[in-house]
Amino acid sequence: MRNYIYICLSLIAMTSCKKEFLDRYPQTAISPQLYFKTESDLNLYVNGMLSKRGTSIYVNSDEQSTDDYATTGNVRMKNMLSGNISPDNTPSFWGWSTLRNINYFLDNYSSANASADIKNHYAGLARYYRALFYMDKVKVYSNVPWYSHAIEASDSASLYKASDPRTLIIDSIFKDLDFAANNVKESVPTGTPGLWAVKTMYARLALHEGTYRKYHSELSLQSTATRFLDLAKSQANDIIASGKFSLTPNYGDLFVSQDLNANKEVILNTIYDVAKQSGSDINSVVSANYEQSPSRDLVQEYLMADGSRFTSIPNYQQTLYVDEFKNRDPRIYVAFMAPGFVRLPATTPLVPLLSAGFTGYYQKKGYQNSVDPNIRGGADVPELRYAEVLLTYAEASAELGTLTQADIDKSVSLLRTRAGIPTLSMATANANPDPVLANKFPDVTGANKGVILEIRREKRVEFAFEGRRYDDLMRWNGGKVFEQYPKGMYFSGLGQYDLTGDNIPDIILISRAATIPPVDQRIKNSLGVTLVYYRIGTFGQSGSIPLENGETGGAIVTGVAPRTFVAPKYYYFPIPVSQTTQNPKLQQPYGWE
């Protein structure tokens, strides 16, 4: 969600020209000497920079590329894996108008008639936004031009400069974050970032860069990873030590609350209120066959209620849908519409719809189970929450090799205790690393291999469907994970199946060669409900649900075309050819030359 609070004059001042490389608003539209006069001016301008993800954490095209989802959408990583991305047709992330707005403020704010600490507060927020802007660019291109001031149209040397190295960009980002962490105030208007939100993002970005450098040899920066892991641990520890935050007792409350402002876990809240024309209703997107559907792989990563691995169960890949949800980590029932879920206004349990291209699983997180439009559209979104701080602290400590059981007890174990499952033992995890996770992340080695894998599990489970998986896979050098098509529900073959958990069949799978009988001739179950019929085939056969082995069963298949992740090339996107033609000094990222 974007909250733009600019008054008319500042809107005029920030109107963009059509030049694509560096979008520029006309500085002559309003004189900075006339506008940047008071604290109110600074506040209005900086609030106009506020940009939050809001409900997009639950519906995100990048996440649809990961092992958390199957997707029918035309998402960028899917196109990359199919070899359909080039500098000629790449999606462009080369916009610079946001940076122009930020730098224009930083060039002019100091003239305001306000105390130094007030001016530094707003400058800190602007530099925080600049850090976020540039980190997004680094994630896509690695090397980009660094601009610390608004560029004039006459300054062709700056407009058409070469990209600066990643090291310079990152150092500049963390200088901005240092300034922000030392100057942004703790007390800020509700829904806007204050000191603790700044420090949470500081820790997130430091962890990203530290792990990225550690696991990406193409950068030749492994020896510098420790610096950023230390920063991540330090910032996270500051937040923990402040004692200002704690986990909310009921995990599920975080995603259905109409007001998260007083929630002690929520560090930054996105507020929705239908009465104020700010609605959050995404029910039709997250709970139906609309582009994205949750993957079976994610279901399997949740632990059992007793803390054991689901993937350690013999023949776990042949577990039927209803049995997959028995005795699991309770967080699975917050993320998924599990068997028995009654979706209002219905009065009976939901029978998942099977459809080609989708998995059969339904996402619950982000869904508001109500028929009241005010409730459906008024649920707040926990933009930043304390659980992430705990996991950042644990992961940074594990990657640094400093992790102790005491560190786990004050981080990961708090999350597992909240969920109602056994806590994590460092010794046990390291003595017996999960072979499924180890196969997924072969780069994880050393004495802390087992516990690092468990922390990664915890991150995936705790933040399932909250927009964190794509970045995690990219920073962990997990490109090969993108190659696998997510699978759906498992069926042992033709026949009747219970999908609601009452031991009464709801659907029937028949041969693709068979004819679905007229409605009045279809089988009814013991409740007198007519079974839903599906014809079964293999992928690509129209009019049927594709299973791995066709009529003899298997998991639902969502794709079969070859996917290849070319490393390190596909960890980056090419700069659009229109930009490199205009500015030949720009160099393409790794492999895109």
Side-chain angles (χ1 to χ4, degrees):
M1 181 186 74
R2 295 181 182 272
N3 297 321
Y4 292 104
I5 315 177
Y6 288 121
I7 59 174
C8 292
L9 287 177
S10 60
L11 279 171
I12 294 171
M14 296 171 62
T15 301
S16 296
C17 293
K18 293 183 178 180
K19 191 171 184 60
E20 187 178 353
F21 173 59
L22 280 178
D23 297 319
R24 298 187 303 278
Y25 52 82
Q27 293 186 32
T28 55
I30 179 171
S31 167
Q33 288 76 24
L34 294 176
Y35 181 70
F36 294 101
K37 299 288 288 183
T38 67
E39 178 181 351
S40 178
D41 293 341
L42 302 183
N43 178 58
L44 284 169
Y45 196 108
V46 169
N47 280 343
M49 299 177 190
L50 179 63
S51 177
K52 296 192 289 186
R53 297 178 303 161
T55 54
S56 70
I57 70 172
Y58 305 128
V59 185
N60 182 289
S61 61
D62 280 343
E63 293 300 290
Q64 291 173 6
S65 301
T66 72
D67 52 349
D68 281 359
Y69 286 110
T71 182
T72 60
N74 189 31
V75 299
R76 61 180 183 173
M77 183 54 74
K78 186 166 72 173
N79 287 329
M80 181 88 87
L81 294 168
S82 301
N84 294 327
I85 296 292
S86 73
D88 292 315
N89 67 2
T90 182
S92 178
F93 309 98
W94 200 256
W96 296 84
S97 60
T98 297
L99 178 65
R100 173 72 181 179
N101 298 339
I102 295 168
N103 282 342
Y104 187 69
F105 174 86
L106 290 170
D107 287 345
N108 294 287
Y109 80 94
S110 61
S111 62
N113 183 20
S115 63
D117 66 317
I118 292 295
K119 289 192 284 189
N120 285 341
H121 165 73
Y122 289 110
L125 285 173
R127 293 182 69 168
Y128 164 76
Y129 290 131
R130 184 166 66 184
L132 300 185
F133 171 88
Y134 261 110
M135 197 65 182
D136 284 344
K137 287 288 186 284
V138 168
K139 289 177 182 178
V140 177
Y141 302 113
S142 195
N143 299 340
V144 290
W146 173 264
Y147 296 102
S148 58
H149 299 281
I151 306 302
E152 303 295 338
S154 59
D155 188 358
S156 59
S158 296
L159 285 172
Y160 302 108
K161 64 178 286 189
S163 292
D164 290 300
R166 183 189 187 103
T167 50
L168 183 150
I169 304 299
I170 292 295
D171 285 349
S172 301
I173 286 172
F174 282 92
K175 286 178 183 177
D176 278 349
L177 290 172
D178 280 335
F179 185 90
N182 287 318
N183 289 282
V184 171
K185 294 182 179 297
E186 182 176 348
S187 179
V188 294
T190 301
T192 62
L195 170 64
W196 303 110
V198 167
K199 291 177 80 67
T200 299
M201 287 301 296
Y202 191 145
R204 177 191 291 184
L205 301 191
L207 180 67
H208 186 283
E209 186 63 14
T211 50
Y212 203 97
R213 292 190 182 199
K214 179 174 180 177
Y215 291 106
H216 283 264
S217 60
E218 74 272 10
L219 298 180
S220 299
L221 293 172
Q222 290 97 323
S223 63
T224 64
T226 297
R227 170 194 166 196
F228 296 96
L229 295 172
D230 279 331
L231 285 173
K233 180 179 179 180
S234 174
Q235 292 295 323
N237 192 55
D238 284 351
I239 300 169
I240 295 169
S242 74
K244 294 179 179 293
F245 304 98
S246 59
L247 298 178
T248 194
N250 188 327
Y251 175 67
D253 288 349
L254 290 162
F255 313 106
V256 295
S257 174
Q258 297 290 301
D259 185 358
L260 288 172
N261 290 328
N263 190 294
K264 293 276 285 183
E265 182 172 344
V266 179
I267 297 173
L268 180 61
N269 181 26
T270 298
I271 304 167
Y272 287 101
D273 187 339
V274 174
K276 296 180 180 178
Q277 288 74 53
S278 176
S280 61
D281 189 348
I282 56 171
N283 277 10
S284 62
V285 180
V286 301
S287 68
N289 287 0
Y290 180 84
E291 286 196 5
Q292 66 182 38
S293 56
S295 72
R296 193 171 194 232
D297 186 85
L298 176 57
V299 172
Q300 293 174 345
E301 196 149 316
Y302 284 80
L303 295 172
M304 302 300 293
D306 63 4
S308 62
R309 301 168 188 153
F310 175 82
T311 53
S312 293
I313 298 173
N315 301 315
Y316 73 93
Q317 293 285 21
Q318 284 75 54
T319 306
L320 294 175
Y321 169 68
V322 168
D323 294 330
E324 286 180 316
F325 286 87
K326 291 179 178 178
N327 303 315
R328 303 297 298 278
D329 177 336
R331 286 174 291 187
I332 201 171
Y333 311 119
V334 173
F336 289 82
M337 294 183 182
F341 177 76
V342 177
R343 187 169 63 176
L344 298 177
T347 57
T348 57
L350 170 71
V351 178
L353 175 68
L354 305 186
S355 180
F358 295 88
T359 62
Y361 299 105
Y362 280 45
Q363 178 178 331
K364 183 182 175 187
K365 189 179 284 187
Y367 182 86
Q368 306 307 314
N369 197 24
S370 173
V371 296
D372 185 336
N374 293 309
I375 292 176
R376 288 173 55 159
D380 287 355
V381 173
E383 189 83 15
L384 296 175
R385 56 190 182 92
Y386 186 54
E388 178 181 353
V389 175
L390 299 178
L391 288 174
T392 295
Y393 178 84
E395 185 179 349
S397 299
E399 294 287 4
L400 285 165
T402 64
L403 185 73
T404 65
Q405 185 62 45
D407 291 326
I408 292 175
D409 292 343
K410 76 174 190 179
S411 57
V412 178
S413 290
L414 295 180
L415 297 173
R416 291 194 175 183
T417 297
R418 190 252 298 268
I421 63 174
T423 58
L424 175 63
S425 165
M426 180 176 177
T428 301
N430 284 332
N432 183 25
D434 184 342
V436 174
L437 293 181
N439 182 64
K440 184 172 285 191
F441 301 114
D443 288 351
V444 179
T445 59
N448 275 336
K449 175 178 178 176
V451 76
I452 288 173
L453 294 174
E454 288 304 317
I455 291 169
R456 292 186 181 189
R457 181 203 306 280
E458 196 66 25
K459 179 71 179 294
R460 187 184 189 190
V461 165
E462 176 71 21
F463 286 92
F465 310 140
E466 293 183 60
R468 304 301 308 141
R469 186 63 171 173
Y470 180 87
D471 275 358
D472 285 343
L473 291 176
M474 295 295 273
R475 67 187 175 90
W476 291 333
N477 197 34
K480 288 296 181 181
V481 173
F482 292 104
E483 293 184 341
Q484 303 301 315
Y485 283 95
K487 295 177 181 178
M489 294 178 181
Y490 172 84
F491 297 96
S492 56
L494 304 182
Q496 300 179 14
Y497 291 90
D498 167 30
L499 296 185
T500 61
D502 59 4
N503 294 313
I504 299 172
D506 303 293
I507 69 170
I508 182 170
L509 307 185
I510 64 174
S511 169
R512 183 172 181 271
T515 300
I516 297 178
V519 174
D520 60 352
Q521 298 178 26
R522 295 177 190 175
I523 299 172
K524 294 185 177 182
N525 63 22
S526 60
L527 299 175
V529 178
T530 301
L531 299 185
V532 180
Y533 281 66
Y534 293 100
R535 296 163 69 231
I536 296 302
T538 56
F539 190 85
Q541 292 181 324
S542 61
S544 64
I545 302 302
L547 300 184
E548 289 171 300
N549 304 306
E551 295 180 10
T552 58
I556 294 175
V557 178
T558 64
V560 295
R563 283 177 160 181
T564 303
F565 190 96
V566 181
K569 183 177 181 179
Y570 286 2
Y571 287 106
Y572 313 92
F573 276 75
I575 299 171
V577 69
S578 59
Q579 300 305 316
T580 55
T581 299
Q582 187 175 1
N583 180 9
K585 293 181 181 178
L586 296 174
Q587 292 186 343
Q588 294 288 5
Y590 303 89
W592 291 104
E593 297 86 353

